[in-house]
Amino acid sequence: MIGSVGQVAAITILLGIGSIMDIKTREIPNWISAAILITAAFNFDWKNLWGIIVAVIFFSVALATEKIGGGDVKLIAALSVVCGLWGSFALLLFAQIAMLVFYGVSVIVQKLRGRTADKNLPFVPFIFIGYLASKLIF
């Protein structure tokens, strides 16, 4: 239990830092993904390695669309090892829902202001939201 709480706390802090950096620079340092992967040792379970399937799917989408950055892919890969298969699916589902809601509201607000909404959004803040939401469920 303590390892699990420590792991969630560490990942929460790392994703918070990563979110700020992604918003400011649109880059995610490799050390954040590496540190998250290291936290897998806090509460390791061999079954969590099935989460790599989600990372491979995410990587495939990134390659096909060329709209997802490499830092996002590395971060999802690290989180997939920590969260396992179903936790990773939930994380990405909640991240995508949060991003769609944010973008929808942004489009409406920008249209009311007579502007066009930015189509390039930093993804780490939404990964952060997805991680927290998935931890509430799993």
Side-chain angles (χ1 to χ4, degrees), residues 93-108:
L93 175 67
F94 292 131
Q96 289 296 321
I97 290 169
M99 187 176 214
L100 286 171
V101 169
F102 178 84
Y103 187 73
V105 170
S106 177
V107 166
I108 292 168

Side-chain angles (χ1 to χ4, degrees), residues 5 20 29 31 33 36 44 64 71 82-83 88 95 104 109-110 115 121 125 127 130 136:
V5 172
I20 292 167
W31 66 264
S33 298
I36 288 173
F44 186 74
V82 171
C83 297
S88 298
V109 169
Q110 295 302 331
R115 297 188 217 154
L121 296 174
I127 292 172
L136 289 173

Side-chain angles (χ1 to χ4, degrees), residues 55-77:
V56 169
I57 293 169
F58 191 75
F59 176 68
S60 301
V61 171
L63 281 178
T65 64
E66 297 180 4
K67 301 285 183 186
I68 302 169
D72 297 321
V73 172
K74 289 182 259 184
L75 187 61
I76 290 297

Side-chain angles (χ1 to χ4, degrees), residues 17-89:
I17 293 167
S19 295
I20 292 167
M21 295 182 89
D22 196 21
I23 290 167
K24 288 184 176 184
T25 66
R26 297 293 169 99
E27 299 221 349
I28 307 151
N30 289 332
W31 66 264
I32 291 178
S33 298
I36 288 173
L37 186 59
I38 290 169
T39 68
F42 290 176
N43 195 21
F44 186 74
D45 185 356
W46 286 103
K47 291 184 283 184
N48 284 357
L49 293 177
W50 285 103
I52 294 172
I53 293 170
V54 175
V56 169
I57 293 169
F58 191 75
F59 176 68
S60 301
V61 171
L63 281 178
T65 64
E66 297 180 4
K67 301 285 183 186
I68 302 169
D72 297 321
V73 172
K74 289 182 259 184
L75 187 61
I76 290 297
L79 285 166
S80 293
V81 172
V82 171
C83 297
L85 181 64
W86 298 113
S88 298
F89 274 126

